[in-house]
Amino acid sequence: RYHTVTHGAWEPNRDGGGDTVDLGRNPQFSLSVDVDASACKSAQSPAPVWVLLTRHVQERSSEEAENGEGYITVHIFRQGGGSRVHYLETCWLQGVYSNRPHCLVKFDLPRGQHKLTLVFAQYKPFARALDYSLDVYSAARLALFNLPLRTPICARIDGAWRGASAGGSPNHDTYVDNPRFLLEVATDSNLSLELSADAKLPVALEVCAVDGG
């Protein structure tokens, strides 16, 4: 009954690590679905939604096939729906990885207004860009928007845990010696903080509110 489609290019993740480390650099979309009485067959029945990811045909090398490249899917997130997500732990519905041209995820939504995040995922990072089409079909009114990878204002600082600044985990008294940064925001705003390191290293970021200047 309702349908929308968008097209784009899925750029490879040059940082490595794959989706098991971070989904945040994959294409993501905000999907709003308004399920009212007209979208349901009965008062208790939900409205179906179909999400179809189509890869544009391209030849794969034998090496890419052997490495398992080209297996993709779409994950559906309700928690924090409408915003970019980074980790699979909060996923509401995980898609099935497939190396076929089409990948379909189907689910039902009850009456009400729903905001979801659609996240592309790859079984193994691929080395080149992948052109795609994303179709969404539903019995209810819907709206689909691309979630940009970067916010309008972005700042980056490169550093290292080295020597006296290698304070370790909170279990150590030297934890206070770990690198610290002061972030000042002039007005109310949505923030996204990302700490990146070698995929083999367990790292974490702690955010604390401070008073005064």
Side-chain angles (χ1 to χ4, degrees):
R1 185 176 180 183
Y2 295 94
H3 168 242
T4 186
V5 62
T6 185
H7 313 278
W10 185 350
E11 299 295 336
N13 184 357
R14 302 300 183 185
D15 292 341
D19 294 347
T20 57
V21 177
D22 185 9
L23 292 164
R25 299 186 184 279
N26 294 349
Q28 300 189 16
F29 296 85
S30 172
L31 175 64
S32 299
V33 184
D34 184 9
V35 182
D36 56 18
S38 64
C40 302
K41 294 182 179 180
S42 66
Q44 302 299 325
S45 64
V49 179
W50 294 269
V51 176
L52 177 65
L53 174 61
T54 302
R55 76 175 79 225
H56 296 181
V57 177
Q58 60 179 235
E59 293 184 2
R60 292 193 302 159
S61 66
S62 58
E63 181 179 354
E64 289 175 331
E66 291 175 359
N67 292 336
E69 295 183 23
Y71 284 81
I72 60 175
T73 191
V74 182
H75 297 316
I76 314 298
F77 290 76
R78 297 184 72 172
Q79 181 178 334
S83 302
R84 290 195 71 88
V85 299
H86 288 264
Y87 305 112
L88 194 58
E89 286 83 355
T90 59
C91 184
W92 172 59
L93 180 61
Q94 293 189 31
V96 177
Y97 289 91
S98 172
N99 64 347
R100 297 182 179 182
H102 304 287
C103 179
L104 177 65
V105 180
K106 180 184 178 297
F107 54 92
D108 296 324
L109 293 175
R111 285 197 187 186
Q113 295 182 340
H114 306 272
K115 183 167 285 189
L116 310 170
T117 298
L118 312 183
V119 180
F120 290 9
Q122 52 190 322
Y123 183 72
K124 287 187 178 180
F126 41 76
R128 53 179 173 169
L130 176 68
D131 294 328
Y132 66 85
S133 296
L134 177 65
D135 292 85
V136 182
Y137 304 85
S138 177
R141 289 188 296 271
L142 58 85
L144 184 70
F145 301 97
N146 177 53
L147 294 172
L149 177 61
R150 298 290 185 186
T151 54
I153 300 176
C154 181
R156 172 171 177 161
I157 296 178
D158 295 321
W161 281 280
R162 184 178 294 115
S165 68
S169 73
N171 297 327
H172 299 84
D173 294 336
T174 55
Y175 177 71
V176 296
D177 297 328
N178 283 313
R180 297 185 181 190
F181 302 91
L182 177 63
L183 175 63
E184 295 181 332
V185 182
T187 60
D188 293 344
S189 177
N190 293 322
L191 299 177
S192 177
L193 305 178
E194 177 181 328
L195 174 63
S196 300
D198 189 300
K200 298 179 181 179
L201 300 176
V203 296
L205 181 66
E206 182 178 13
V207 181
C208 303
V210 296
D211 297 327

